[in-house]
Amino acid sequence: MRKWMVLYRKEWLELVRTYKLIWVPLVFLLLGAMQPVTTYFMPDILAHAGNLPEGAVISIPMPTAGEMMAQTLQQFNTIGLLIIALSSMNGISAERNGGITAMILVKPIAFRGYVAAKLASQITLIGIAFAAGFGAAYYYTSVLIGTPEWRGSLAAFLFYWLWLVLAGALTLCFSALLRSGAAAAACSLGLLALLAVLGSLLPDALGASPGMLPKLAAAQYLDTDSSKSWLSVIVTFCVLAAALETAAFALRKRPAL
């Protein structure tokens, strides 16, 4: 355990030195605050745009607090996933290309522990960033529109946080399998998009798919069906374990590229 903590502190120091601990939460914070603020002031923004005919009346129905939070989660599902992939795409491949992985793993350190330390630091970063973004969205929605129901918000937070953790884990896994960090990010985002699309097209057959997690998060606000949520969570944890094992196996076969 002491060796694992040393590896975790190394990853934490890497987050500090590369400023990921600053810019990733900052981007999520802006994403979370932007959606309720722009939606609330959209009629004023359009009225002052200057290209509307005189006498034009702008009437945009204001969404409920729950609908606003669901819309904010959709923002995290596009730009948020991209930020997570960009922040973790070189997590393993860069160290393998530079020979650092071989230098570390020549010591009595478990391959699985090495990958787990990287995943744990990624989970910590995702938790801080998403808490900042979700908290900003909750605050501005409460101030401008109305207070969302807190139990549903807590469940939505946990479902979506798990979806983002899956994105980080898959990117790390592909980073161990591929030489290029950009290719790892592309493969991860492509797989996540495929899971989400298949979950939307076949909700009954793939109700336990990890791709249902964003829908389960939004369902906490929209009162849609979320009866298979526990199955989706269990399958997601299985996929996380498989990603960790696959990355450790790839490193065991080829510690350096």
Side-chain angles (χ1 to χ4, degrees), residues 174-196:
F174 282 115
S175 180
L177 294 171
L178 304 172
R179 182 187 294 267
S180 168
C187 289
S188 173
L189 291 174
L191 181 56
L192 291 168
L194 181 64
L195 287 173

Side-chain angles (χ1 to χ4, degrees), residues 33-226:
M34 198 163 50
Q35 183 68 25
V37 171
T38 54
T39 302
Y40 184 79
F41 290 106
M42 185 57 70
D44 295 330
I45 294 172
L46 293 176
H48 291 84
N51 55 356
L52 293 176
E54 188 176 352
V57 177
I58 303 171
S59 178
I60 301 176
M62 189 61 62
T64 64
E67 290 170 343
M68 179 57 65
M69 292 299 294
Q71 291 176 12
T72 306
L73 290 178
Q74 290 178 358
Q75 292 293 322
F76 290 131
N77 206 30
T78 51
I79 302 176
L81 287 182
L82 179 63
I83 295 301
I84 295 298
L86 290 176
S87 66
S88 57
M89 66 182 189
N90 289 316
I92 295 178
S93 61
E95 291 189 355
R96 292 179 80 189
N97 289 329
I100 299 174
T101 306
M103 292 172 61
I104 294 175
L105 295 179
V106 75
K107 299 171 182 175
I109 294 174
F111 293 92
R112 192 180 292 113
Y114 174 78
V115 178
K118 287 188 172 293
L119 181 59
S121 68
Q122 194 67 26
I123 290 173
T124 306
L125 175 65
I126 290 171
I128 294 172
F130 185 53
F134 193 88
Y138 190 92
Y139 171 75
Y140 282 106
T141 300
S142 301
V143 170
L144 299 175
I145 300 173
T147 304
E149 200 270 325
W150 72 270
R151 289 187 182 86
S153 296
L154 179 60
F157 177 88
L158 293 175
F159 279 129
Y160 209 86
W161 171 77
L162 188 58
W163 173 244
L164 293 178
V165 167
L166 179 65
L170 289 177
T171 307
L172 277 179
C173 178
F174 282 115
S175 180
L177 294 171
L178 304 172
R179 182 187 294 267
S180 168
C187 289
S188 173
L189 291 174
L191 181 56
L192 291 168
L194 181 64
L195 287 173
V197 169
L198 289 178
S200 298
L201 294 177
L202 305 168
D204 294 327
L206 299 177
S209 166
M212 297 298 290
L213 288 174
K215 285 185 171 298
L216 291 172
Q220 308 307 312
Y221 295 112
L222 303 178
D223 294 328
T224 52
D225 182 29
S226 58

